[in-house]
Amino acid sequence: MTGLKVLIVDDARFIRDLVSKIVSSGFPNSEVKAAEDGEAGRKMMMQHQFDIILCDWEMPGLSGLEVLQWARQQPNYQKVPFLMVTSRGERDYVLQAVQSGVNDYIGKPFEPSHLIDKIKTWLAKGGETSSVARRRAAEMLAAEQKTQKPAPKKPKGLAQLRLGGGVHRCAVKDLTLQQVRVAVKREDVIPAMLEATVVDIEQADGSTVQLNGFVRAVEAHEPKVDTAFLNVDVLFVDNDPEKMALLSRYIERMNKSTG
């Protein structure tokens, strides 16, 4: 299809590369752009007009669901096909996505031919979602509120974890002057115990506090073998007074904003 413009949003680099390769192979004359997280994807959608969006669900910061909800509020993206490429398939996740205007799910792992067929189908159909389906999903969600688990807490900030295998974006779950707990996507990396690392904690002004440390603990974010995220505890080894002062101010602001 000549001139097809596709946006891929996923914080796992190898997934971005894989999906980009599949789309470029299936649609040789297409223009494919990739965003490393939800916020980057939202900014690209503000700068360009895409014909279809392929978006991961679970990402640090702005989730795929939040990207979808934002897109459906934009006049130029209300009818653009939006497909979730995700390992999430639980009933409440599906209902939330349908209520918000998703067009389809593509479960990980997937066959390249299946992805291409889905894209062709929704390009032919168009992305306008059924108001009846959205209303029905909302009613079903409301009926299940009593049995649903509490919504996950928002991350306290964003950071980068620099390990031997590369740089990985993560969400800050807890932070003190001695250590940090971050959520890392399992698809990216499984850190090793006692592995040396550098944590770049992002500041509101765009700067970072860089702290040296080592991996103290790694655990599954959810009590199941296919958990999508890992919790990683990093113990700091820096004694730099300037770094500690910056970190202290960051923690104070963070506690005020999340308190």
Side-chain angles (χ1 to χ4, degrees):
M1 184 176 293
T2 303
L4 177 65
K5 295 183 178 180
V6 183
L7 175 62
I8 298 162
V9 186
D10 200 302
D11 62 322
R13 182 183 300 174
F14 84 93
I15 292 291
R16 294 198 302 271
D17 293 344
L18 173 63
V19 176
S20 295
K21 183 177 180 181
I22 292 172
V23 173
S24 296
S25 176
F27 302 92
N29 296 316
S30 61
E31 179 183 345
V32 182
K33 291 185 180 295
E36 65 179 7
D37 56 35
E39 181 58 29
R42 188 182 70 85
K43 289 179 179 178
M44 283 191 180
M45 292 169 70
M46 293 172 66
Q47 296 168 357
H48 308 279
Q49 180 63 41
F50 295 97
D51 299 308
I52 192 166
I53 313 297
L54 307 175
C55 187
D56 185 28
W57 183 298
E58 292 184 305
M59 296 179 287
L62 203 64
S63 71
L65 180 64
E66 290 171 319
V67 175
L68 168 63
Q69 292 168 339
W70 174 85
R72 292 313 189 210
Q73 293 172 2
Q74 313 308 308
N76 57 324
Y77 278 105
Q78 289 178 354
K79 298 181 181 181
V80 171
F82 194 110
L83 311 185
M84 285 284 190
V85 184
T86 178
S87 57
R88 280 292 189 185
E90 292 90 343
R91 178 182 170 85
D92 58 336
Y93 277 77
V94 173
L95 289 174
Q96 287 180 62
V98 172
Q99 178 189 6
S100 299
V102 79
N103 293 109
D104 210 337
Y105 266 82
I106 301 172
K108 298 177 184 176
F110 52 83
E111 292 293 330
S113 59
H114 181 60
L115 176 61
I116 294 300
D117 288 344
K118 288 279 190 182
I119 293 174
K120 288 180 178 178
T121 295
W122 286 105
L123 287 173
K125 284 185 177 181
E128 187 171 9
T129 54
S130 166
S131 59
V132 174
R134 295 176 70 165
R135 184 173 63 254
R136 179 58 179 154
E139 291 170 353
M140 293 171 73
L141 273 173
E144 294 179 358
Q145 284 298 316
K146 291 183 180 180
T147 59
Q148 283 185 335
K149 296 178 180 179
K153 293 181 179 179
K154 287 282 188 179
K156 294 185 177 181
L158 297 177
Q160 292 188 131
L161 195 63
R162 286 192 271 158
L163 297 159
V167 179
H168 309 280
R169 289 185 64 77
C170 50
V172 176
K173 299 186 67 180
D174 195 22
L175 178 64
T176 70
L177 291 175
Q178 291 76 40
Q179 67 178 26
V180 65
R181 167 166 282 204
V182 297
V184 179
K185 199 161 189 180
R186 185 180 176 184
E187 292 170 337
D188 286 339
V189 64
I190 298 181
M193 290 287 291
L194 304 181
E195 183 177 359
T197 183
V198 177
V199 183
D200 300 325
I201 299 175
E202 299 179 7
Q203 305 287 291
D205 61 3
S207 63
T208 60
V209 177
Q210 298 180 345
L211 295 154
N212 297 291
F214 65 88
V215 177
R216 183 178 186 178
V218 180
E219 68 174 15
H221 180 68
E222 299 171 293
K224 57 183 184 179
V225 71
D226 60 345
T227 181
F229 280 90
L230 300 173
N231 294 329
V232 181
D233 292 343
V234 175
L235 190 66
F236 300 136
V237 297
D238 278 310
N239 290 312
D240 186 325
E242 185 176 348
K243 286 185 178 182
M244 291 300 103
L246 288 171
L247 184 59
S248 179
R249 288 196 293 271
Y250 178 86
I251 293 172
E252 183 180 359
R253 290 195 299 269
M254 180 184 72
N255 289 338
K256 286 181 179 178
S257 64
T258 59

